[in-house]
Amino acid sequence: MKQITVIGCGRWGTFLGWYAANYGKADTVLMYDLERSYGFQQLKNERKNDYLTLSDNMLLTSDINEALKNDFIIISISCQNLRNLAKQLNQYNLNGKTFLLAMKGLEEPSAEILADVFLDEIKQDIHVATLGGPGHVEDYMRNVPSAAVIDSYEPTTQKRVIEFMQSDLIRFYAGTDIIGNQVGAALKNVIGLAAGILDGLNWYGLKGALMARAPIEVGRLIKFKGGNPASVYGLAHLGDYEATLFSKNSHNRMFGELFAKGQPYQKLAEGVDTLRAVKAIADKENIDMPICQALYRIIFENADIKQTIKGLFDRPLKKEFDKA
């Protein structure tokens, strides 16, 4: 993995390329953006973005054939574009290549985890790992250390990716439940929307209750999908709460805060589309997810924000640890 490729030149993808080139084992990193985004053009013109400057061993390419010559490829794009990207990539010879999916979300409306979406479309012998857990580019660029989790259906792939990415800046742990970690990573974005709404109302005192109750209903969805509900208490979900529910750098939290204030948010908040997917599967399968259901009514059905939240916290009294 001395030479790697990163597909996606947004905030996170560009950082992961920089990280691999400066902290990981990569000698050269190729940066490729399928959509020629603003971020890609800025990197091409200035060799920097709002967060970092490209190192000399980071190269930009507009040639998909060149981008796919490397055997280790990190993908960091919008979750909802992953299936289309996989269909395009499947036209090329990918046999033996390893892909690290560095996004957090569920496909809408299928509610599939991203690893399964990718493997649905790539009809070749590939290896897939996923990245979850806390961390913001702004903090990493100030040398603030953190931890993350790598998971895969293949233990050997997981081990290889961890060894490649490990450093003093980010400690990578080996996940034991790719389904639970993918669902948990996706749903922490949804809970981040709710935390932001509480901030926007200045009701941040309810964040403790949100943090205590949300993992219970997320665990229900993990169990339904075939994962271990206990995974919700690991790095991918609960471990990411500080970075998602409190940080000023969290897109999902900021979306919720501005929504509560009646203001638009222009950047990508993956939790919004994931919320649609959660609502669809919860309704179809009768999964009790009151926080997500209330959040959906607020964001998509114009429900009164304060009354909906009060109704959520005024549900019939029961003991804290009654049957969840």
Side-chain angles (χ1 to χ4, degrees), residues 110-125:
S110 71
E112 277 200 62
I113 63 173
L114 301 183
D116 289 350
V117 170
F118 199 69
L119 290 168
D120 280 348
E121 300 296 338
I122 305 293
K123 310 300 184 183
Q124 302 180 49
D125 181 20

Side-chain angles (χ1 to χ4, degrees), residues 111-292:
E112 277 200 62
I113 63 173
L114 301 183
D116 289 350
V117 170
F118 199 69
L119 290 168
D120 280 348
E121 300 296 338
I122 305 293
K123 310 300 184 183
Q124 302 180 49
D125 181 20
I126 62 169
H127 310 286
V128 176
T130 61
L131 171 63
H136 285 296
V137 174
E138 295 88 340
D139 294 328
Y140 285 134
M141 297 309 297
R142 292 194 296 270
N143 292 315
V144 178
S146 189
V149 58
I150 300 289
D151 222 324
S152 176
Y153 287 118
E154 303 171 326
T156 55
T157 297
Q158 179 188 53
K159 183 175 185 292
R160 189 168 65 250
V161 172
I162 290 175
E163 289 175 349
F164 177 80
M165 298 288 285
Q166 197 73 268
S167 79
D168 291 337
L169 183 62
I170 308 177
R171 178 174 176 81
F172 290 94
Y173 288 83
T176 58
D177 177 19
I178 189 172
I179 295 173
N181 282 328
Q182 285 261 275
V183 173
L187 269 291
K188 66 91 189 177
N189 285 337
V190 174
I191 305 307
L193 300 175
I197 287 174
L198 294 177
D199 285 338
L201 296 175
N202 286 320
W203 288 4
Y204 45 81
L206 289 174
K207 276 191 179 181
L210 176 67
M211 292 171 64
R213 300 307 299 173
I216 294 173
E217 68 176 72
V218 175
R220 294 186 188 119
L221 182 57
I222 290 174
K223 182 178 181 180
F224 171 80
K225 298 285 284 184
N228 180 359
S231 294
V232 78
Y233 299 105
L235 281 168
H237 186 76
L238 188 60
D240 208 349
Y241 269 18
E242 189 279 331
T244 305
L245 276 63
F246 293 91
S247 174
K248 65 181 184 301
N249 298 319
S250 167
H251 287 333
N252 292 285
R253 192 208 63 78
M254 184 56 71
F255 177 98
E257 178 177 339
L258 293 181
F259 186 91
K261 295 177 178 178
Q263 301 173 22
Y265 187 63
Q266 303 300 331
K267 296 182 179 180
L268 177 65
E270 294 277 20
V272 176
D273 286 322
T274 296
L275 178 59
R276 288 193 182 98
V278 171
K279 173 68 160 55
I281 193 171
D283 286 351
K284 179 180 178 181
E285 304 297 340
N286 195 30
I287 305 170
D288 185 24
M289 304 190 71
I291 296 172
C292 292

